[in-house]
Amino acid sequence: MTATYPSALSVVLAGGGSAGHVSPLLAIAGAVRDRVPGAAILAVGTADGLEARLVPAAGHALAVIDRIPMPRRPSPDLLKLPGRMRRAVARSKEILRTADADVLVGVGGYVCTPMYLAARSLGVPIVIHEANTKAGLANKVGARYTTRVGTAFAATRIRNGSVVGMPMRSAVAGLDRAAAQAPARARLGLEPGLPTLVVTGGSLGALRLNQAVAGAAPALGAAGIQVLHITGNGKQVTGNDGGPLTAPLYRQVEYVDAMEDAYAAADVLLCRSGAGTVSEVAAVGLPAVFVPLPVGNGEQARNAAELVAADAALLVPDSQLDAAWIENNVIPLCRDSDRLAAMAARAAGLGIRDAADRMADMVLEAAGK
């Protein structure tokens, strides 16, 4: 049972822009509140990031600072950077003073650099969580000013980093897939006893995944494999008649509110390999087929590398995923219960379920509580 600390505590958490930053921020905030029910929690983000919706929805206050573009090449914006940064640091100091912050927790993103600089100037202890295998620029800056740096992946290279895992919602971290499978399938409109493939490209969907699964849907159904296809908001997959695609044992929805149900229902998950998804499927012991997003610097492939190397997951480059690949690789996997059980065990062996608690420990230590 987690110990609680009755003394007052003021925690400011900075980060946002994407779910990859907001989700661990909220998980850390929740774990701190579990320890210190009366803790004052203030999140800091931008007015146009996902945090503007998700933080208030989670019951926490949100302060905003202006987004500061970080130009990679000489440009007029580069000349404006020093002035913008000075104003952002001044605003960050104002936020920390008003909150009477005992500690600043940063998870990366645009707002973190001025917040780290402000905290250092004011003597506020800093705690950092780095979610990606390639550390972001803001967290690299912040890591110069603290020894308390948690990472989601062992492969991450950042000063003073130590592996704590990915902070995640308690509904995911505490999921017992075997016990939850039958009720989860019932809630999602799936048959209880069939091999089940769940497909998701995230909340925005993934065109390549959607097209490949649509093409393979008849073959999957013929093989006795039911498919829950989470297409993404506004990304309904249509058939030749222009209506929603239909096929035997195929069901599509645009969004699933409780991803723990999708994880429990699935025998196999076909998905992108964002840091949060990779960490969650490992934590719950779910065999996955990863299709890394083919943009950026290859971070999604690096996220998946440990699970793939351990034969706990498969990986296919985005350019190679099509209906034929699914028919030749995913169908045999879904029908091989022994292989799936072995993959699930290996994934669970690499997963970390208590990352939010580990980060809360770090926060309380930094705050002297």
Side-chain angles (χ1 to χ4, degrees):
M1 183 175 180
T2 301
T4 59
Y5 300 76
S7 55
L9 176 70
S10 175
V11 180
V12 175
L13 301 103
S18 68
H21 290 137
V22 180
S23 294
L25 182 153
L26 292 176
I28 296 168
V32 169
R33 272 275 172 82
D34 287 344
R35 306 293 185 86
V36 188
I41 301 290
L42 175 66
V44 182
T46 62
D48 56 354
L50 275 179
E51 62 272 18
R53 176 173 59 86
L54 297 180
V55 167
H60 302 303
L62 176 71
V64 298
I65 64 176
D66 291 337
R67 181 187 295 269
I68 303 177
M70 301 294 283
R72 302 289 182 178
R73 301 175 183 174
S75 69
D77 274 341
L78 187 60
L79 299 176
K80 299 176 184 177
L81 181 60
R84 287 172 170 165
M85 185 61 73
R86 281 193 297 272
R87 290 190 293 274
V89 171
R91 168 64 175 150
S92 299
K93 288 182 179 179
E94 176 189 354
I95 291 170
L96 291 169
R97 288 194 186 104
T98 301
D100 193 19
D102 291 306
V103 60
L104 169 69
V105 182
V107 297
Y110 289 106
V111 303
C112 281
T113 300
M115 290 297 298
Y116 292 145
L117 295 175
R120 184 195 183 213
S121 174
L122 296 175
V124 175
I126 296 170
V127 175
I128 294 173
H129 185 268
E130 175 53 60
N132 296 297
T133 49
K134 183 173 182 180
L137 178 59
N139 280 350
K140 285 183 178 179
V141 171
R144 298 174 184 174
Y145 312 132
T146 181
T147 59
R148 299 178 178 92
V149 181
T151 68
F153 296 100
T156 302
R157 297 291 173 259
I158 186 171
R159 182 180 296 186
N160 297 314
S162 61
V163 180
V164 298
M166 179 71 78
M168 59 190 72
R169 292 183 303 112
S170 58
V172 174
L175 179 66
D176 180 337
R177 286 183 56 235
Q181 185 178 90
R185 288 185 178 180
R187 283 190 291 270
L188 293 170
L190 299 171
E191 294 295 325
L194 293 177
T196 301
L197 172 68
V198 174
V199 182
T200 177
S203 61
L204 299 179
L207 181 61
R208 173 74 69 172
L209 272 66
N210 287 352
Q211 291 176 335
V213 171
L220 286 158
I225 298 165
Q226 66 180 338
V227 178
L228 175 66
H229 187 179
I230 307 169
T231 63
N233 291 327
K235 302 291 176 62
Q236 185 183 73
V237 177
T238 58
N240 293 331
D241 60 358
L245 177 69
T246 60
L249 302 181
Y250 172 87
R251 180 166 189 261
Q252 65 167 292
V253 295
E254 291 190 5
Y255 188 73
V256 170
D257 286 324
M259 277 304 293
E260 60 270 19
D261 277 352
Y263 294 155
D267 292 305
V268 177
L269 185 73
L270 175 64
C271 57
R272 292 298 193 196
S273 50
T277 301
V278 171
S279 299
E280 289 182 352
V281 299
V284 304
L286 174 59
V289 178
F290 293 122
V291 189
L293 190 69
V295 297
N297 54 16
E299 63 267 20
Q300 286 213 351
R302 284 195 291 271
N303 292 341
E306 186 177 27
L307 289 179
V308 174
D311 197 21
L314 303 182
L315 184 145
V316 54
D318 184 85
S319 61
Q320 295 179 25
L321 181 72
D322 57 16
W325 195 94
I326 290 174
E327 292 170 25
N328 293 330
N329 295 275
V330 178
I331 288 178
L333 177 63
C334 289
R335 293 171 60 88
D336 190 340
S337 59
D338 290 341
R339 185 182 180 191
L340 290 178
M343 290 175 70
R346 286 190 286 265
L350 294 171
I352 299 174
R353 290 178 178 254
D354 63 346
D357 286 326
R358 295 186 190 190
M359 288 302 300
D361 287 340
M362 211 179 286
V363 171
L364 294 170
E365 179 190 348
K369 303 294 183 181

